[in-house]
Amino acid sequence: MPIPEDVTGDEVDKDVRQELQSLPKTLAEDVAKNLVMVARLIDEDPEGAYGYSKVALRLASRVAAVREAAGFAAYATQKYAEALAEFRAARRMTGGVELWPLMADCERGLGRPEKALDMAGAPEVQKLDKAGQVEMRLVAAGARRDMGQLDAAIVTLQSPELASNAVQPWTARLRYAYADALLAAGRQGEAREWFAKAVEADKDGSTDASDRLAEMDGVEFVDAFDEEEGEGDSEDGGSDVQASADPEEADPEEGDKE
């Protein structure tokens, strides 16, 4: 697969670079470039990232960083069996536990939520850092929901991390998951409160909490160009998006319900 000229391979972090030192120099450079492409594309073009990960895997399947990257690329394209195999291989090579929550989520993706819950109770979880433990809690709550256990999912998410006012990289996702579980359980007032809290913590737009909150408040976002199609352009060109609220749909007391 083609590598853009601006990719040198030097962009990989120092730990990966150190792993690649076990390879001949030219080969190490080729693998590094493919790993850079995986990281560059995985959010916007996961299938493209997956393609580059397969190239890296053919070149250096005995390098843990390569197996891990292949796992992430397979996970991003919902190839959960393949992702699980790659994460397991990387873990065997490094002995680390960082991939444990992702491995459990792959079990969910494969339709085995009970296995994910077993992993949530395993000793490996105690070895995870705080971020990893929060990820494991999110996976466990998702597994409970997969099994139709909404109340158990809500209880699983209730934790000191959820109650804390401090904002961490995982705070928005944790609050969002809690709000979504509350809404699924019919607890709309509480759900609205927690979607609002998720919005407060979501500085980089990692969730659609603001959209969910607007939906609960009866706010509709309408594309002005669709509205005016066939009627000609407005004098000032119109705005791309306008918000309107249907007063009959919005319940002003909804946010006060517990």
Side-chain angles (χ1 to χ4, degrees), residues 128-180:
L128 293 168
D129 61 14
K130 182 61 69 178
Q133 290 180 3
V134 170
E135 289 298 328
M136 195 70 246
R137 191 176 290 277
L138 288 166
V139 173
R144 291 291 186 190
R145 291 191 63 171
D146 293 342
M147 298 166 69
Q149 300 173 2
L150 275 176
D151 290 340
I154 291 169
V155 171
T156 298
L157 293 168
Q158 291 170 346
S159 62
E161 293 81 19
L162 180 68
S164 174
N165 290 324
V167 175
Q168 304 292 342
W170 35 260
T171 301
R173 292 175 54 240
L174 182 59
R175 292 177 179 179
Y176 181 95
Y178 189 57
D180 194 49

Side-chain angles (χ1 to χ4, degrees), residues 52-76:
Y52 283 102
S53 77
K54 299 300 281 186
V55 174
L57 203 55
R58 284 199 303 271
L59 296 174
S61 62
R62 295 185 181 181
V63 175
V66 171
R67 304 303 290 267
E68 185 174 325
F72 275 108
Y75 180 83

